Amino acid sequence: MDIKAIIEKMKEKWFVFWEWLKPYLIRFHEQRKRIWKKYQVNKVLLLLAMLSVLIVSIYLFYLAKQSDVKTLRDGLQRVTTVYDKDGDEAGTLRGATGTFVTLDEISPYVVDAVISTEDRRFYEHNGFDIRGILRSVFGILRTGGITGGGSTLTQQLAKNAYLDLDQTMVRKAKELFLAIEIEKQYSKDEILEMYLNHAYFANGVWGVEDASHRYFAKSAKDLTIDEAAVLAGMLKGPGIYNPIDYMDNAVARRDTVLQVMVDNGKLDQATCDQLKNEPLYTQDNYQEGDRGYQYPYYFDAVINEVERKTSIKVDDLLNKGYKVYTSMDQMHQQGMDTTFANDVLFPPNAEDGEMVQGASIAIDPQTGGVRAVVGGRGEHTFRGLNRATQSSLSPGSTMKPLAVYTPALEAGYRPDSLLKDEALPFYDVENYDRVYRGEVTMYDALRESLNASTVWLFNEIGVERGAQKVEKFGIKLEKADFNYSLSLGGMTKGTTPMRMASAYTVFANQGRRKEPHFIRKIEDASGAVVYENEEAKSTAVTTRKIANEMTGMLRGVFSSGTGMAAQPYGYEMAGKTGTTESVYADSQSKDQWIIGYTPDVVLATWIGFDKSSETHYLTGTSGQVVSQIFKDEAQRILPHTAGTPFDGDDIAAQNAQNQKDKIDRDKLMEDFEGKVKEGAEYWGGQVKEGAKYVRDRVSELWQDFQTNR
């Protein structure tokens, strides 16, 4: 095919079509001009444009009024208070603001540096700067989009306090009207004060006071000129100009700010040059706990629950002085935090330095209230991943009581029912010790966490029945999870320690499950209740009898089974261990679990790596490794519970006692039979001797009689 010929042919056709179309276009253009002129369309378009501007201005003015800027300063100082289960203060929540300080508590060098670099005409304009706006317009014309710049400190405060960070024309317009409204309500010093307390300085720090401690280990009032220049320079881009992560950038930006201060008449050139030659040193004494966020994973979960279950906006929650009443037990939380802070209890890091992660949660089985939670090890990230509530983990053998043994009891099996423990023709499974026992009682299969007998029983009761029971326990399943692997904890997406702990509350709460929750109620700043959850949703999962029988079997896990090493001194617990195998290392584990409970508290603990690999795996079993962590937690938490005794007996212990009693009875009977035999032999001999004596005497008498006759 000749491409050039085709192109030439298309050109010829186009010219023919154009010659035909051209007269029609000319006539249309002439008619449009007459109509346009006759009806003064230009004036109409101009009027419509002016009307649109007016409508938009009225709308933006309305939005600015609705923002209630009168409460802005109070909001920056106000905190939301979190209370525990007893109504005692547990901490505070803050929004995008740090420790609030007044302007006279901030170094004047900070004020000079910020005004010089961010808004030179701050004390002259009324919230917006025409020169800056023109610069911004030229930027739009030059690049075709918003390039930043042109915003006054008041506009930046409005943006930080009320708007998102998207660079759009609508946002810029809102920002302008809000700035005008702020200028009407506050003095320049108050605006500058609010701005400095609301600015972000990277590394999770808001406000100049906390930033001073984070980077220079001192209060904002004690900052030197060059330190003030560093903080002022960070306002342009805290992510790339902070001295902890980008020292070279911070120094270069500092030097720029110092020179701008000279240009603005706030610093002489000689001092500027001297400071530019000085090295920059950082020092950190900032503590997040100083701000009241002392139980970070619990408070993160509270914020997430507010966002999920209420109509309260997170920004409002953090900034409008709410009172949040939770189910936290501070003694439980402190005990859990202490355990997780003890690195000695945890396995060592992987070869590449990756930390073994962990998570734990404690729930009151009677109410469903979360008493304590830890979502990970290492540095906490504000509202980052909480592995106790947001992870997707394989639960291993902790699934067995939910999927297999509870529905088996409901189907008529008894704790002493005999199960087959052998290789199965329908599913490839073996026990952890690679040994089949042939036949085993149900409570021993659970106590020793045997896999073959568990899968055999799962098949007997029906996979569908077992999976549906798991869902009734509150564990979400995919359709693909309805298979034999579910009996051993195999799941498509996994689950969380919180859901597993909640499922085990059924055994501790007579067969009922209360929906797990962190918040009991919320009051606004005026004291009005805006959300209440004092009585969580309750679901009947099984009967009280079945729950007690399950507890009787699960107590054996701690007293004589796979969880013996996790049994806290002086306390009885019921529960289950769980281990999932690593696909990268033979005979090693990926996840290790222990879930233990008393009638007062359910405690679920998990350890493992966030991402399993050839070097990321755990050695040993849950009964050997995570048990030490669990035991330490339990010994810190249980002394602060009511100590309610279990309703019923430890079936394994009872069986052991029954076997001992039978042995004792057999021995006693054997001893009795021996005594009887011995007595019989003794008295038989005595009778024989007596009979012989009588016979001899009678014989003698007879002989005497015969002789005398």
Side-chain angles (χ1 to χ4, degrees):
M1 181 181 293
D2 190 346
I3 300 297
K4 290 184 178 180
I6 293 174
I7 293 175
E8 289 299 322
K9 194 72 174 176
M10 291 176 64
K11 284 182 178 180
E12 291 176 9
K13 295 288 185 182
W14 166 252
F15 284 130
V16 172
F17 174 74
W18 176 250
E19 290 299 322
W20 173 83
L21 181 64
K22 192 174 181 180
Y24 293 101
L25 291 176
I26 292 172
R27 285 198 295 270
F28 173 77
H29 180 61
E30 293 296 327
Q31 290 176 357
R32 185 192 64 80
K33 285 197 298 183
R34 287 196 296 270
I35 294 172
W36 197 274
K37 186 175 181 180
K38 179 180 178 180
Y39 292 102
Q40 301 183 0
V41 175
N42 285 333
K43 293 180 180 179
V44 172
L45 291 176
L46 180 61
L47 180 62
L48 288 174
M50 294 176 65
L51 183 61
S52 298
V53 171
L54 178 62
I55 292 172
V56 170
S57 298
I58 292 172
Y59 173 67
L60 293 174
F61 177 75
Y62 168 77
L63 288 181
K65 287 292 185 182
Q66 289 296 107
S67 297
D68 192 19
V69 297
K70 292 180 180 179
T71 63
L72 176 58
R73 190 172 187 276
D74 289 340
L76 294 178
Q77 300 179 74
R78 188 183 296 158
V79 297
T80 290
T81 305
V82 180
Y83 299 90
D84 66 12
K85 69 180 182 63
D86 299 317
D88 296 327
E89 186 173 333
T92 57
L93 308 180
R94 287 183 184 267
T97 180
T99 304
F100 193 93
V101 289
T102 57
L103 198 60
D104 59 6
E105 296 175 296
I106 300 172
S107 168
Y109 302 130
V110 174
V111 175
D112 291 342
V114 169
I115 291 178
S116 297
T117 54
E118 297 296 312
D119 191 356
R120 295 187 185 189
R121 289 165 36 82
F122 174 68
Y123 283 101
E124 300 171 25
H125 60 65
N126 293 314
F128 61 94
D129 187 358
I130 296 298
R131 297 178 190 175
I133 292 174
L134 290 175
R135 286 196 303 271
S136 182
V137 170
F138 289 139
I140 294 172
L141 295 175
R142 187 174 65 254
T143 65
I146 300 291
T147 59
S151 292
T152 64
L153 285 179
T154 314
Q155 287 175 270
Q156 292 182 52
L157 174 62
K159 175 186 66 178
N160 293 338
Y162 297 108
L163 305 173
D164 58 47
L165 301 180
D166 294 336
Q167 294 279 15
T168 64
M169 289 295 293
V170 174
R171 200 270 291 158
K172 295 292 288 185
K174 289 180 181 179
E175 179 185 296
L176 177 61
F177 277 82
L178 281 168
I180 294 171
E181 194 65 25
I182 290 171
E183 290 273 348
K184 290 179 182 178
Q185 297 292 335
Y186 299 101
S187 69
K188 289 290 187 178
D189 285 349
E190 288 175 327
I191 293 171
L192 181 58
E193 179 183 87
M194 288 187 289
Y195 174 79
L196 292 173
N197 280 287
H198 206 283
Y200 183 58
F201 289 92
N203 291 296
V205 173
W206 281 269
V208 67
E209 176 67 13
D210 288 348
S212 300
H213 286 282
R214 184 71 174 88
Y215 298 106
F216 302 112
K218 62 175 65 174
S219 178
K221 68 178 184 295
D222 300 321
L223 290 170
T224 60
I225 298 174
D226 59 328
E227 292 168 346
V230 171
L231 295 187
M234 288 172 60
L235 296 171
K236 182 179 178 65
I240 60 173
Y241 291 120
N242 75 81
I244 290 180
D245 301 315
Y246 301 96
M247 175 61 78
D248 292 342
N249 291 357
V251 170
R253 181 64 182 161
R254 176 201 66 179
D255 294 348
T256 300
V257 172
L258 290 171
Q259 190 60 54
V260 171
M261 291 175 69
V262 173
D263 299 341
N264 204 40
K266 300 298 183 181
L267 187 66
D268 61 84
Q269 189 64 56
T271 304
C272 173
D273 294 339
Q274 178 186 346
L275 291 173
K276 284 182 179 180
N277 292 321
E278 295 289 334
L280 177 60
Y281 298 103
T282 62
Q283 189 175 352
D284 181 10
N285 68 356
Y286 171 71
Q287 294 182 356
E288 190 176 36
D290 292 344
R291 297 177 57 200
Y293 212 80
Q294 56 186 341
Y295 305 123
Y297 283 108
Y298 200 102
F299 290 171
D300 283 355
V302 166
I303 296 172
N304 292 341
E305 190 164 285
V306 168
E307 188 174 44
R308 191 172 65 253
K309 292 191 174 183
T310 78
S311 60
I312 301 171
K313 296 179 180 178
V314 172
D315 285 345
D316 290 343
L317 174 73
L318 300 178
N319 295 306
K320 292 191 174 180
Y322 286 90
K323 294 181 178 179
V324 183
Y325 294 87
T326 71
S327 298
M328 174 191 286
D329 185 310
Q330 293 194 66
M331 300 308 295
H332 287 26
Q333 186 65 57
Q334 290 169 15
M336 192 176 287
D337 288 341
T338 300
T339 296
F340 270 72
N342 186 358
D343 292 338
V344 175
L345 294 171
F346 290 82
N349 296 346
E351 294 176 4
D352 59 1
E354 183 73 14
M355 178 181 285
V356 174
Q357 274 301 337
S360 193
I361 190 167
I363 299 179
D364 182 342
Q366 313 304 319
T367 66
V370 176
R371 294 296 189 228
V373 66
V374 171
R377 299 177 65 209
E379 184 176 355
H380 167 260
T381 300
F382 178 67
R383 296 192 72 188
L385 175 63
N386 186 327
R387 295 166 184 82
T389 62
Q390 299 171 320
S391 54
S392 297
L393 305 168
S394 173
S397 292
T398 60
M399 181 62 76
K400 291 177 180 178
L402 315 182
V404 183
Y405 293 99
T406 295
L409 289 174
E410 292 173 340
Y413 282 84
R414 309 308 318 146
D416 58 356
S417 296
L418 293 177
L419 314 180
K420 290 184 179 180
D421 190 66
E422 57 190 24
L424 303 175
F426 54 85
Y427 188 72
D428 184 18
V429 62
E430 58 185 6
N431 297 321
Y432 66 93
D433 59 2
R434 310 292 194 268
V435 175
Y436 295 114
R437 288 150 180 80
E439 204 172 52
V440 64
T441 61
M442 191 161 78
Y443 61 77
D444 278 336
L446 179 59
R447 179 176 64 88
E448 297 178 28
S449 199
L450 302 180
N451 294 331
S453 49
T454 298
V455 176
W456 179 86
L457 181 59
F458 194 48
N459 180 64
E460 290 294 304
I461 64 172
V463 173
E464 187 84 11
R465 179 175 190 167
Q468 289 176 352
K469 177 58 68 173
V470 171
E471 291 183 319
K472 199 166 184 180
F473 272 104
I475 308 297
K476 295 180 180 179
L477 298 179
E478 302 293 315
K479 195 60 183 176
D481 293 329
F482 284 54
N483 60 67
Y484 290 115
S485 66
L486 178 63
S487 63
L488 305 179
M491 297 177 66
T492 305
K493 293 185 177 179
T495 188
T496 66
M498 183 169 78
R499 288 191 179 278
M500 292 302 295
S502 177
Y504 274 69
T505 64
V506 172
F507 306 133
N509 191 34
Q510 310 301 327
R512 301 192 69 86
R513 187 179 75 90
K514 290 288 187 74
E515 194 67 25
H517 60 279
F518 292 84
I519 302 169
R520 295 185 290 117
K521 70 175 179 177
I522 301 175
E523 295 178 357
D524 63 18
S526 69
V529 177
V530 295
Y531 174 76
E532 190 164 10
N533 190 32
E534 292 284 7
E535 189 60 39
K537 178 184 176 182
S538 179
T539 303
V541 178
T542 191
T543 65
R544 175 174 179 168
K545 179 177 180 293
I546 298 298
N548 286 341
E549 285 185 334
M550 277 303 307
T551 294
M553 291 198 293
L554 290 171
R555 287 173 68 183
V557 172
F558 276 81
S559 64
S560 58
T562 57
M564 285 180 65
Q567 178 85 300
Y569 295 121
Y571 295 94
E572 288 189 3
M573 296 194 81
K576 187 71 184 73
T577 61
T579 304
T580 63
E581 292 185 359
S582 170
V583 298
Y584 299 101
D586 187 40
S587 301
Q588 307 301 337
S589 57
K590 174 182 173 291
D591 306 281
Q592 293 184 8
W593 292 74
I594 290 187
I595 305 176
Y597 65 91
T598 71
D600 303 312
V601 66
V602 177
L603 178 62
T605 302
W606 164 88
I607 63 169
F609 286 98
D610 285 334
K611 189 174 182 181
S612 184
S613 71
E614 290 84 355
T615 58
H616 294 174
Y617 58 84
L618 303 173
T619 59
T621 65
S622 55
Q624 299 165 331
V625 185
V626 72
S627 60
Q628 300 307 309
I629 300 166
F630 181 92
K631 183 176 182 178
D632 190 78
E633 284 182 290
Q635 290 180 171
R636 297 178 188 280
I637 289 173
L638 292 180
H640 303 287
T641 63
T644 307
F646 283 109
D647 183 10
D649 297 320
D650 176 342
I651 292 177
Q654 185 182 45
N655 178 68
Q657 184 61 48
N658 290 342
Q659 289 181 333
K660 182 177 181 301
D661 291 344
K662 183 177 182 301
I663 292 172
D664 290 344
R665 285 195 302 271
D666 291 344
K667 188 174 184 305
L668 182 63
M669 183 59 69
E670 184 180 334
D671 290 345
F672 177 73
E673 289 176 351
K675 293 289 186 182
V676 169
K677 184 177 180 182
E678 183 181 325
E681 291 176 351
Y682 171 77
W683 290 111
Q686 292 294 315
V687 169
K688 287 181 179 180
E689 290 181 6
K692 182 175 180 298
Y693 174 77
V694 171
R695 188 172 60 252
D696 291 342
R697 291 298 298 166
V698 169
S699 176
E700 290 177 1
L701 290 172
W702 176 256
Q703 290 177 359
D704 289 343
F705 174 74
Q706 289 291 334
T707 302
N708 293 330
R709 195 179 59 174

